[in-house]
Amino acid sequence: MTALLVALAGLPGSGKTTVARLLARELGAVHVRIDVIETALETSGAVSLVEHPALGYRVAYFEAIEHLRSGRGVIADSVNPIAVTREAWRWVASEGAARIVEVEVVCSDPEEHRRRVEARIADIPGHVEPTWAEVLSREYEPLELGPAAFRIDTARDFTEALVQVVVRIRASADT
């Protein structure tokens, strides 16, 4: 069976990591989280992400390829904000001989989204969470939707969002 890459996209605080953790558990997949990689690189003191902003993503791409080639599914958890990063995840799927499903995670309730961002406590040692102003000013292009690219809303219920993703993943496997 072909390995599966689920490439998440969405602003900080939209619920990507919660969805990624639930989905990884449900599918028995590996959770590749950009925040972990970037924080490790930044806190090592060996590299500056200001000078090399794409480095965390590059590490994640190659890590994901390795898992996919071994037959493991991957849930890629990153803001994945623009066409070039999304095309890179498609390249990862190709290199890993995997099927890709792209999922944009949104929180349609602005008050809830802001509450999440402002209430977050970093769960990675050394990681600094973005402010609400930084989230609002971040470059982000909505995902182009299609048969293997869809949007879920986490404003009300993460369980319902997870069910939607699993149903869509299974339906896309049949097409």
Side-chain angles (χ1 to χ4, degrees), residues 41-42 44-55:
L41 290 169
E42 196 64 49
S44 75
V47 66
S48 165
L49 293 178
V50 171
E51 293 174 24
H52 305 284
L55 187 57

Side-chain angles (χ1 to χ4, degrees), residues 8 15-29 31 75 154 157-163 166:
L8 301 179
K16 290 180 312 299
T17 298
T18 300
V19 168
R21 287 175 175 156
L22 293 168
L23 197 54
R25 207 171 302 130
E26 176 72 21
L27 300 177
H31 177 197
I75 312 303
T154 64
D157 187 353
F158 280 100
T159 303
E160 181 180 319
L162 176 66
V163 168
V166 172

Side-chain angles (χ1 to χ4, degrees), residues 1 3 8 21 25 42 46 49 58 78 82 103 110 130 135 141-142 151 153 156-157 159:
M1 182 176 212
L8 301 179
R21 287 175 175 156
R25 207 171 302 130
E42 196 64 49
L49 293 178
R58 299 279 300 162
S78 65
I82 56 176
V103 180
V135 170
E141 300 166 2
R151 182 175 295 121
D153 187 352
R156 313 241 182 293
D157 187 353
T159 303

Side-chain angles (χ1 to χ4, degrees), residues 7-92:
L8 301 179
L11 289 170
S14 62
K16 290 180 312 299
T17 298
T18 300
V19 168
R21 287 175 175 156
L22 293 168
L23 197 54
R25 207 171 302 130
E26 176 72 21
L27 300 177
V30 176
H31 177 197
V32 174
R33 185 176 173 196
I34 293 290
D35 288 345
V36 170
I37 294 167
E38 288 182 338
T39 301
L41 290 169
E42 196 64 49
T43 61
S44 75
V47 66
S48 165
L49 293 178
V50 171
E51 293 174 24
H52 305 284
L55 187 57
Y57 274 80
R58 299 279 300 162
V59 171
Y61 299 151
F62 284 89
E63 180 69 16
I65 289 169
E66 189 65 20
H67 288 296
L68 294 168
R69 286 181 177 165
S70 73
R72 297 289 311 267
V74 172
I75 312 303
D77 176 2
S78 65
V79 173
N80 194 12
I82 56 176
V84 70
T85 59
R86 294 169 185 161
E87 186 55 41
W89 284 116
R90 293 179 200 119
W91 172 80
V92 167

